[in-house]
Amino acid sequence: MGLTTAQFIKDYKAAALHLFADSLDNLSTLQQYQALAFVVKGYYAKDWVQTKANNEKHHRKQVYYFSIEFMPGRLLGSNLLNLGIKATVEAGLERLALDPVTLYAAEGDPGLGNGGLGRLASAFLDAMASVGMAGHGNGIRYQYGLFQQRFVDGYQVELPDDWLRDPYVWETRKENRAVIVKYGGQVELRPRANGSLQAIYHGAEDVLAVPYDTAMVGYRTGCVNTLRLWAAEPVPGRAHNLAEKARVNAITQILYPDDSDNDGRELRLRQEYFFVSAGVQSIVTHFKRTHADLHLLPQFIAIHINDTHPAMAVLELMRILLDEEEMTWEEAWRLTVATMSYTNHTLMTEALETWPESMFAGLLPRLYQIAQEIDHRFRAAHVQQYGELLVDRSAPIANGQLRMAYLAVIGSHAVNGVAKLHTELLEQSVLHDFYTLYPARFNNKTNGITPRRWVQLADPALATLIDATLGPGWRRDPRALQDLRAHADDPAFLAALNAAKLANKGRLAAVIQQQLGLYVDPSAMFDVQIKRLHAYKRQLLHVFGLLDSYRALKAGEDRPARVHVFGAKAAPSYRYAKSVIKLINAVADLVNHDPAVNQKLQVAFLPNYGVSLAEAIIPAADVSEQISLAGTEASGTSNMKLMATGAITLATLDGANIEIQAVAGAENMVTFGLTATEATRMQSAHTYNARAVYEADPRLRAVVDMLTDGSIPGIASEGREIRTELLDYNDTYFVLEDFAAYLAANRKLDALWADPDRWAQAALANIAASGQFSADFTVQRYGREVWHVLPEQPIGD
Ligand code: 26V
């Protein structure tokens, strides 16, 4: 947009006056940020209205991405970037003697998700707007996001994330678009004259769902889509006592941490139905206002089920088409399956959602009837050809449980995993029966990231260098980064690349100093592992590797200086994960205070990992640890972000690591360890003996023994717990098995580090290849193959 600095300054001063009745320099930093956000909102408001009007006028197919989590990150910087006015606004701020970085940092970071799944949902919204695709988010406006993490004595402590304490400037409450969501009661089915059945509800509980819309601004497309998050409120004008009000408000009060316990399961079910019902209702209502014939629904609407949490969208759409639109079952089912598509995000069987039939029937009686009918028809349709056994294994209702992943597959026309290996494993194991029944539904969609946030915004040093080398074309089409390869033998470029990285490491060192009071040397190798704390991700293997270095250094061996940077939250009830957190902090205490090693080895565990902290860590990483047991990490996305800013990946052949290796080149990455096939074979043949591995390797014995021999102070019970898991429970995730290979891989990294030019070449190869992991391409593949929409403006133009 054609904004001048002078115009911006005028608008900004006016906003300060309008919002806070004061001049800019009298406002608090928070108010200055709010006024700025208000101005920016004004700059895209017309485009937002226009995008909606165009969509309606041209009857463009709309994609609705249903997700129980979204993690958009801070929006001020990305909105300015995407509108193409960042430089103008920053020049204006400078003229007003305001520091842009301080203002950006005043924005809160809505943590409405746990990790990869929620961040991916937000990356997709950014990407859809940036390729000009009409794609919107539908989710929950939690009053409290994922807990804030602190460390007290090395232990994780969870504090509530009261992110709405300051008003969230980007959202707009749309009370005129509120809908009613019904829970419980009894359903009576009364025959209508036309033979269909009318559902009459007795004693149901009504809850008002109020939408809050946030604009998703495309990168220089003029396309502005919507993230719609629903808040639960009592229906106005109805008598409510305090207890009833509290019950209603509870629905959207807190985000569930992806926990292993079963507490509060019913509330979670209420949450899921809440945003699904509100979303589907509002889609159908809007569709009927703008289209004559509901039978055309799949031609104009795609609903995407992001993991199983919104799987009951299948049931809710059926309910509306049957009960409210009086369609036949066959017609309603045809439209529903054609509208829905589903992504699976994990192979962890304990994470595949099921609901007890009794709970489901009590809370959602009409949906339960519909699920029973689907179950009945599914069994009847397939039993002849495939037999009782397969049908019973794969039916949506069995053993007193509703199986949401199965329901999602049966009710969708397309099902995908999030990396090649993951999709193959779905087809071969977790969803194998469905692959037999509906092979054509299965497809792979490898995840993606938004290089706008991770490179352009978070790594301006690198972005400037690339601009100077290639011009700005890569900013719109990151495949152009491939052209960097031509500079692989240009010593000046390699030196500049290393210098940019060093500058970023200096910035992270300042954060570490400020947060942990720890001085780290920016010239050391920064070895980063940032992701949720889970046994399968094997942060423990990383700890064992660094304990081995600790021992080697103590014994007088020389190793290049390394700073091990961790960021990870553990689910509050996940004991083992919390013990690993305590272990990492205890090891940090030990090595950071040991003058015999701390010139060469340091550990920085930064608390409260989230989108904003990731923006500080990722550009400063030299090494990206992606060391899950092969066959357990569906895709991973920090692997893609870290390669995009030039980190060298240290990885098992798991998830998207395999695809990263394919494009970056095996010589520019270090891989090690069991393959998924080998791990599965050992698991099913029961040939793994963790204790024997431990006994056979003196270096391994030494680090495992450190857990319990008092050499790491303060971990008596945690050390014992972890040792028990490894040796008595036979090491579920093969940490001991992969240990020797992991050490060898690390020595390869050390050797590479010794040659800064060669290191920079490997970094360059990763940056150059990272473009293909832009989520822009991922959503275009979904658009072509799953949602059947074509973006208005293909990127690259
Ligand atoms: C949930 C649970 C809950 C019960 C205990 C075990 C467990 C393990 C994992 C999960 C997370 C499930 C959903 C999820 O966040 N998956 C992540 O999705 C990312 C985006 O597709 C992908 O990159 C990650 O590999 C995948 O773990």
Side-chain angles (χ1 to χ4, degrees):
M1 60 180 289
L3 180 71
T4 64
T5 308
Q7 181 63 44
F8 162 68
I9 290 175
K10 204 169 139 217
D11 295 342
Y12 191 22
K13 285 181 173 167
L17 206 58
H18 176 87
L19 284 176
F20 300 111
D22 215 330
S23 66
L24 268 173
D25 42 337
N26 281 332
L27 304 186
S28 69
T29 303
L30 179 66
Q31 289 172 322
Q32 288 170 341
Y33 153 72
Q34 288 173 332
L36 181 53
F38 179 80
V39 173
V40 175
K41 202 172 172 184
Y43 290 156
Y44 61 66
K46 267 197 190 138
D47 281 350
W48 201 3
V49 174
Q50 195 58 49
T51 303
K52 286 180 210 168
N54 280 343
N55 289 343
E56 281 186 22
K57 187 166 155 216
H58 301 297
H59 292 287
R60 298 187 63 209
K61 186 165 183 177
Q62 308 289 300
V63 176
Y64 293 95
Y65 199 84
F66 277 39
S67 178
I68 201 160
E69 302 188 353
F70 287 94
M71 304 181 82
R74 291 173 175 149
L75 290 182
L76 179 52
S78 74
N79 283 340
L80 290 174
L81 178 79
N82 290 4
L83 290 168
I85 57 173
K86 192 155 177 283
T88 310
V89 165
E90 286 180 357
L93 293 174
E94 215 157 287
R95 223 185 280 171
L96 294 163
L98 293 171
D99 173 30
V101 176
T102 308
L103 293 186
Y104 298 154
E107 177 169 1
D109 181 346
L112 309 185
N114 277 283
L117 170 132
R119 178 55 215 162
L120 185 78
S122 283
F124 280 5
L125 295 186
D126 178 277
M128 287 192 278
S130 295
V131 300
M133 189 187 283
H136 315 287
N138 185 72
I140 297 178
R141 183 178 180 267
Y142 300 104
Q143 209 174 335
Y144 293 88
L146 187 66
F147 64 86
Q148 301 265 353
Q149 180 195 52
R150 298 269 161 81
F151 297 139
V152 175
D153 193 22
Y155 291 102
Q156 168 174 295
V157 172
E158 300 102 22
L159 301 169
D161 171 42
D162 190 6
W163 75 289
L164 288 171
R165 200 182 33 225
D166 305 321
Y168 187 59
V169 205
W170 305 109
E171 68 180 5
T172 306
R173 179 182 164 93
K174 301 262 165 146
E175 51 211 5
N176 57 339
R177 298 277 180 268
V179 300
I180 286 183
V181 176
K182 285 182 183 300
Y183 295 100
Q186 266 91 42
V187 188
E188 181 195 337
L189 295 180
R190 209 176 277 168
R192 291 194 187 98
N194 67 3
S196 69
L197 294 170
Q198 185 187 4
I200 298 164
Y201 295 79
H202 300 287
E205 176 190 0
D206 285 357
V207 174
L208 193 70
V210 183
Y212 286 73
D213 288 358
T214 296
M216 296 288 118
V217 178
Y219 181 73
R220 300 181 169 213
T221 50
C223 173
V224 181
N225 291 329
T226 302
L227 167 59
R228 173 163 283 190
L229 301 179
W230 298 91
E233 295 180 13
V235 179
R238 306 243 183 112
H240 286 284
N241 60 39
L242 283 177
E244 278 170 356
K245 276 189 185 158
R247 223 174 108 77
V248 168
N249 291 330
I251 297 174
T252 53
Q253 202 135 37
I254 57 150
L255 164 76
Y256 272 79
D258 60 357
D259 235 335
S260 33
D261 71 16
N262 277 344
D263 274 12
R265 290 263 294 162
E266 203 199 21
L267 180 57
R268 174 76 169 190
L269 184 59
R270 281 164 74 85
Q271 288 190 330
E272 292 184 356
Y273 184 61
F274 181 73
F275 85 100
V276 164
S277 176
V280 176
Q281 286 189 57
S282 75
I283 290 168
V284 173
T285 307
H286 185 251
F287 185 83
K288 285 174 40 174
R289 271 214 318 271
T290 49
H291 296 78
D293 186 357
L294 203 54
H295 290 88
L296 300 178
L297 191 75
Q299 216 170 299
F300 296 105
I301 301 286
I303 295 179
H304 197 80
I305 299 171
N306 191 35
D307 221 60
T308 51
H309 324 115
M312 56 184 104
V314 171
L315 306 175
E316 180 67 359
L317 183 57
M318 284 298 286
R319 181 189 71 75
I320 293 172
L321 298 181
L322 291 170
D323 297 353
E324 291 172 15
E325 304 301 329
E326 302 184 27
M327 287 188 190
T328 63
W329 180 277
E330 288 73 17
E331 188 59 3
W333 185 246
R334 187 181 68 78
L335 297 176
T336 298
V337 173
T339 303
M340 301 290 164
S341 50
Y342 160 61
T343 298
N344 172 289
H345 290 269
T346 182
L347 293 156
M348 299 278 126
T349 37
E350 65 266 44
L352 291 182
E353 269 190 313
T354 58
W355 295 109
E357 266 184 280
S358 54
M359 185 197 288
F360 199 96
L363 189 68
L364 306 167
R366 180 60 183 139
L367 260 65
Y368 178 64
Q369 290 175 341
I370 294 170
Q372 281 183 310
E373 185 65 21
I374 293 172
D375 181 75
H376 174 74
R377 287 173 183 251
F378 173 82
R379 290 170 184 269
H382 299 295
V383 70
Q384 283 237 309
Q385 194 180 350
Y386 295 99
E388 288 279 355
L389 202 66
L390 183 145
V391 160
D392 220 45
R393 272 201 315 254
S394 51
I397 307 181
N399 309 320
Q401 303 280 325
L402 269 86
R403 307 189 287 200
M404 303 313 279
Y406 298 177
L407 179 67
V409 177
I410 294 165
S412 297
H413 65 278
V415 178
N416 72 280
V418 290
K420 276 184 196 150
L421 174 68
H422 174 228
T423 300
E424 280 166 27
L425 293 174
L426 284 177
E427 292 169 356
Q428 287 163 20
S429 59
V430 184
L431 299 178
H432 179 72
D433 289 334
F434 295 102
Y435 188 52
T436 308
L437 294 172
Y438 319 114
R441 290 187 187 184
F442 284 75
N443 67 96
N444 175 247
K445 293 286 167 286
T446 299
N447 283 163
I449 58 163
T450 168
R452 287 173 287 279
R453 179 170 295 274
W454 303 107
V455 184
Q456 298 197 44
L457 286 170
D459 197 347
L462 178 61
T464 310
L465 174 62
I466 301 173
D467 280 343
T469 313
L470 301 180
W474 65 280
R475 289 176 178 263
R476 193 183 284 280
D477 184 354
R479 284 171 302 197
L481 292 168
Q482 286 291 359
D483 298 341
L484 286 175
R485 285 179 185 280
H487 302 268
D489 295 313
D490 171 357
F493 181 79
L494 298 179
L497 198 56
N498 283 340
K501 181 62 83 178
L502 189 65
N504 293 338
K505 289 161 74 174
R507 282 197 294 152
L508 180 61
V511 173
I512 292 173
Q513 177 76 62
Q514 185 244 324
Q515 297 258 315
L516 304 175
L518 175 70
Y519 170 79
V520 297
D521 179 356
S523 69
M525 183 198 297
F526 280 22
D527 181 346
V528 168
Q529 190 172 19
I530 40 174
K531 47 188 79 256
R532 280 299 287 260
L533 201 314
H534 199 290
Y536 83 80
K537 297 178 187 279
R538 301 199 298 191
Q539 280 92 352
L540 186 62
L541 182 57
H542 187 173
V543 174
F544 281 0
L546 78 87
L547 284 176
D548 178 75
S549 290
Y550 174 74
R551 294 188 59 257
L553 290 165
K554 292 283 256 191
E557 229 179 88
D558 192 29
R559 297 214 167 156
R562 269 202 217 198
V563 178
H564 296 266
V565 180
F566 290 90
K569 287 181 180 177
S573 68
Y574 190 175
R575 250 188 76 106
Y576 180 82
K578 290 180 126 177
S579 296
V580 175
I581 287 184
K582 171 66 180 173
L583 170 68
I584 300 172
N585 280 322
V587 170
D589 246 5
L590 175 70
V591 304
N592 295 343
H593 292 111
D594 187 338
V597 302
N598 65 13
Q599 303 297 308
K600 291 281 178 170
L601 178 64
Q602 289 179 300
V603 180
F605 193 163
L606 289 165
N608 207 35
Y609 181 62
V611 177
S612 293
L613 187 55
E615 288 168 16
I617 296 174
I618 287 170
D622 294 307
V623 175
S624 159
E625 300 249 5
Q626 309 296 339
I627 58 176
S628 50
L629 171 65
T632 62
E633 187 70 274
S635 161
T637 44
S638 75
N639 46 4
M640 301 170 183
K641 295 162 197 166
L642 285 155
M643 90 182 279
T645 54
I648 309 301
T649 313
L650 170 58
T652 49
L653 292 173
D654 200 15
N657 302 344
I658 297 172
E659 289 153 77
I660 289 177
Q661 187 187 33
V663 297
E667 69 284 11
N668 300 309
M669 167 169 175
V670 180
T671 58
F672 72 96
L674 293 173
T675 62
T677 317
E678 287 164 351
T680 318
R681 198 171 297 144
M682 288 173 76
Q683 275 156 345
S684 44
H686 300 286
T687 53
Y688 181 46
N689 182 343
R691 193 173 281 275
V693 175
Y694 160 82
E695 301 287 357
D697 181 349
R699 303 181 77 160
L700 177 57
R701 251 188 352 249
V703 298
V704 173
D705 289 352
M706 286 183 78
L707 294 172
T708 47
D709 66 8
S711 46
I712 309 166
I715 55 152
S717 69
E718 294 78 17
R720 220 174 315 114
E721 181 190 354
I722 295 167
R723 188 186 168 95
T724 303
E725 150 60 21
L726 297 175
L727 298 181
D728 298 341
Y729 291 95
N730 204 33
D731 181 17
T732 319
Y733 297 104
F734 294 77
V735 174
L736 306 187
E737 174 69 21
D738 273 347
F739 175 75
Y742 179 66
L743 293 190
N746 271 290
R747 300 296 76 76
K748 281 194 203 164
L749 275 179
D750 289 346
L752 189 62
W753 185 253
D755 182 348
D757 276 353
R758 179 63 198 100
W759 186 279
Q761 282 174 331
L764 180 151
N766 277 279
I767 297 166
S770 68
Q772 84 156 56
F773 294 109
S774 166
D776 294 5
F777 305 127
T778 315
V779 299
Q780 285 178 322
R781 290 191 286 265
Y782 276 96
R784 273 195 305 272
E785 296 160 23
V786 175
W787 303 324
H788 308 297
V789 291
L790 288 176
E792 199 149 76
Q793 15 196 172
I795 56 175
D797 289 7

